[in-house]
Amino acid sequence: MSPVVPHSGETCVKVSLADRSYDIRIKAGLLRDIGRSLRDLGFSGKVAVVTNATIGRLYTQTVQSSLKAAGYHVTQVVLPEGERSKTLRTVSLILDKLAQCQFERGSVLVALGGGVIGDLAGFAAAIYVRGIPFIQVPTTLVAQVDSSVGGKTGVNHAVGKNLIGSFHQPRLVLIDPDMLKTLPTREWIAGLAEVIKYGVIADEAFFSYLEGHIDAIRKMEEGPVIHVIARSCEIKASVVAQDERESNLRRILNFGHTVGHALESLGGYRKLIHGEAVAIGMVLEAELARELGHCSNEVVSRLRALVKRAGLPDALPPTTFPKLWGAMQHDKKVAQGRVYCVLPEQVGRVVVVPLDQAQFKRWFSERRRKPSQARAPRSSSWSATAHRT
Ligand code: NAD
Ligand code: GLY
């Protein structure tokens, strides 16, 4: 596990990836130091700050004055807001601006925003002149604990979420938890889904901490919030360092996302925001794990209780088996025609299994008939081939 090193009140988590290693720096007020942070990395010349109008209104003045004071020539790129803007068309807006302003290989891009901005800006940085450096300045909880770390960048396609993209690691992740204070409550709560995910996939003690501190976290008390961000980043950094390109272990980060991404896409990216879809996905995938005999009912009930106490949704929105299964086929986690799903064995340990259509259909029909009925672990007649990671 990567160490968290306290240094002048700052927490630093290292993502160890040989010559692509970088720091995740966490401290309230860090945004004001962005100019110096870029200088410390040795960058000079042009910087493009990619953001949207909402975040821009709140933070670009601070960012611009810090960058200008450090001697940078700053260009701002303001993108349309929301998941529906995560498209190739929006990426080309960034590329147009970079080309018009004659950005070069040594120029830097700053992704100032949530996961949508981070994924879009990171992808533009990956492909402009075959790759320029970028830094992540995540402004939502989802982005601070997940999307800004690990180098997954990309956009959605009409057929499925995140189908087009590239691995391109940032040179720095600069996390200022103060920026979470302006986040709409719904977005703040949604981020807690990804935090809970880390407890389930890797750390029972962290899950217990969340159970014990969820009220303080929801109230945004500084100590618990910084702990939650730092521990989540540590877990993600450790997984990414072991499997940068998701050939095996990194798949565990997709817990809740097989069903979650399908629900997001079925709702036209309007009804559920990412974290909410992941919360429902985690509960349903845990139920499925129980049904397939991978975990006990206690795992499902602990998870469901924490999800609910966090203020997240846990119920499957109205849909049909063909729609849900169909949406799951377009997920990028499909391999050789099989849908893979991350299922909990215990809180803190998961397994990756290929799903069988008949099994999934049976579970889906059964839960519609008796939606809230808890069932004991089942016999192996339902168990799928497990790839332990
Ligand atoms: P988001 O980026 O859409 O941001 C949510 C909303 O909050 C937006 O309207 C935004 O303008 C607003 N906002 C952002 N920061 C704010 C602030 N500090 N104050 C006020 N308003 C603010 O949503 P998100 O949940 O951050 O990201 C979801 C996206 O991240 C999805 O597209 C998902 O696929 C992606 N994601 C990527 C990875 C990855 O590894 N690359 C991991 C997880 C999620
Ligand atoms: N959010 C999943 C990953 O980064 O792999």
Side-chain angles (χ1 to χ4, degrees), residues 350-369:
V350 289
V351 66
V352 183
V353 301
L355 289 183
D356 174 82
Q357 180 173 3
Q359 287 176 339
F360 192 78
K361 187 172 184 183
R362 207 158 104 193
W363 164 77
F364 185 88
S365 316
E366 185 89 343
R367 80 176 302 288
R368 283 189 60 183
R369 219 163 43 81

Side-chain angles (χ1 to χ4, degrees), residues 154-212:
V155 296
N156 301 329
H157 186 276
V159 161
K161 200 171 151 59
N162 295 336
L163 285 189
I164 302 158
S166 167
F167 285 97
H168 187 51
Q169 299 294 342
R171 297 286 290 274
L172 169 71
V173 181
L174 194 150
I175 299 181
D176 183 343
D178 275 354
M179 288 193 283
L180 299 174
K181 291 177 184 159
T182 55
L183 206 53
T185 307
R186 184 177 177 193
E187 298 289 347
W188 159 251
I189 298 289
L192 295 175
E194 301 283 7
V195 171
I196 294 170
K197 176 188 84 177
Y198 290 115
V200 179
I201 64 171
D203 188 350
E204 204 272 337
F206 184 49
F207 191 91
S208 299
Y209 175 88
L210 296 174
E211 289 176 318

Side-chain angles (χ1 to χ4, degrees), residues 56-377:
R57 250 191 318 274
L58 293 162
Y59 299 111
T60 45
Q61 208 177 333
T62 307
V63 171
Q64 293 229 11
S65 48
S66 176
L67 289 172
K68 284 180 182 161
Y72 291 102
H73 178 81
V74 185
T75 299
Q76 182 144 314
V77 188
V78 182
L79 301 179
E81 182 151 344
E83 183 71 32
R84 288 168 66 82
S85 75
K86 214 174 101 172
T87 61
L88 278 176
R89 192 183 292 262
T90 311
V91 171
S92 62
L93 297 177
I94 309 174
L95 301 177
D96 290 349
K97 194 68 174 253
L98 298 178
Q100 283 153 11
C101 297
Q102 295 177 308
F103 270 62
E104 305 162 355
R105 283 229 168 99
S107 310
V108 187
L109 194 151
V110 172
L112 175 67
V116 168
I117 293 289
D119 284 6
L120 282 162
F123 188 47
I127 59 177
Y128 182 73
V129 294
R130 299 201 179 87
I132 61 170
F134 83 115
I135 76 158
Q136 289 271 16
V137 183
T139 63
T140 63
L141 185 60
V142 166
Q144 294 193 352
V145 300
D146 190 357
S147 61
S148 64
V149 177
K152 277 190 183 175
T153 72
V155 296
N156 301 329
H157 186 276
V159 161
K161 200 171 151 59
N162 295 336
L163 285 189
I164 302 158
S166 167
F167 285 97
H168 187 51
Q169 299 294 342
R171 297 286 290 274
L172 169 71
V173 181
L174 194 150
I175 299 181
D176 183 343
D178 275 354
M179 288 193 283
L180 299 174
K181 291 177 184 159
T182 55
L183 206 53
T185 307
R186 184 177 177 193
E187 298 289 347
W188 159 251
I189 298 289
L192 295 175
E194 301 283 7
V195 171
I196 294 170
K197 176 188 84 177
Y198 290 115
V200 179
I201 64 171
D203 188 350
E204 204 272 337
F206 184 49
F207 191 91
S208 299
Y209 175 88
L210 296 174
E211 289 176 318
H213 293 79
I214 193 67
D215 298 333
I217 294 164
R218 282 190 68 172
K219 280 190 238 152
M220 279 198 177
E221 286 178 19
E222 186 170 324
V225 168
I226 291 193
H227 177 66
V228 155
I229 296 169
R231 184 68 193 127
S232 300
C233 286
E234 272 189 316
I235 293 172
K236 178 134 189 195
S238 165
V239 170
V240 168
Q242 293 172 70
D243 178 21
E244 182 183 7
R245 299 238 161 190
E246 198 168 307
S247 41
N248 194 13
L249 178 72
R250 188 166 177 167
R251 297 189 297 173
I252 68 174
L253 296 172
N254 295 324
F255 173 51
H257 288 60
T258 303
V259 171
H261 278 170
L263 294 177
E264 257 187 296
S265 130
L266 284 173
Y269 304 110
R270 278 195 191 97
K271 294 186 178 153
L272 291 168
I273 58 177
H274 180 71
E276 293 170 341
V278 170
I280 299 171
M282 287 193 299
V283 173
L284 295 183
E285 290 173 16
E287 277 185 5
L288 180 63
R290 177 187 64 199
E291 195 63 51
L292 295 174
H294 288 288
C295 73
S296 67
N297 188 49
E298 194 208 343
V299 173
V300 184
S301 27
R302 271 182 87 186
L303 174 59
R304 188 189 293 279
L306 185 57
V307 161
K308 283 176 140 172
R309 285 182 61 212
L312 287 159
D314 67 324
L316 180 67
T319 189
T320 61
F321 168 76
K323 278 189 186 163
L324 185 58
W325 184 255
M328 285 163 56
Q329 303 308 305
H330 297 301
D331 198 273
K332 63 182 179 353
K333 292 176 283 299
V334 170
Q336 287 161 350
R338 303 202 77 177
V339 178
Y340 281 81
C341 194
V342 182
L343 302 178
E345 293 188 319
Q346 292 174 3
V347 172
R349 200 177 77 207
V350 289
V351 66
V352 183
V353 301
L355 289 183
D356 174 82
Q357 180 173 3
Q359 287 176 339
F360 192 78
K361 187 172 184 183
R362 207 158 104 193
W363 164 77
F364 185 88
S365 316
E366 185 89 343
R367 80 176 302 288
R368 283 189 60 183
R369 219 163 43 81
K370 298 181 276 181
S372 60
Q373 190 177 323
R375 284 177 288 268

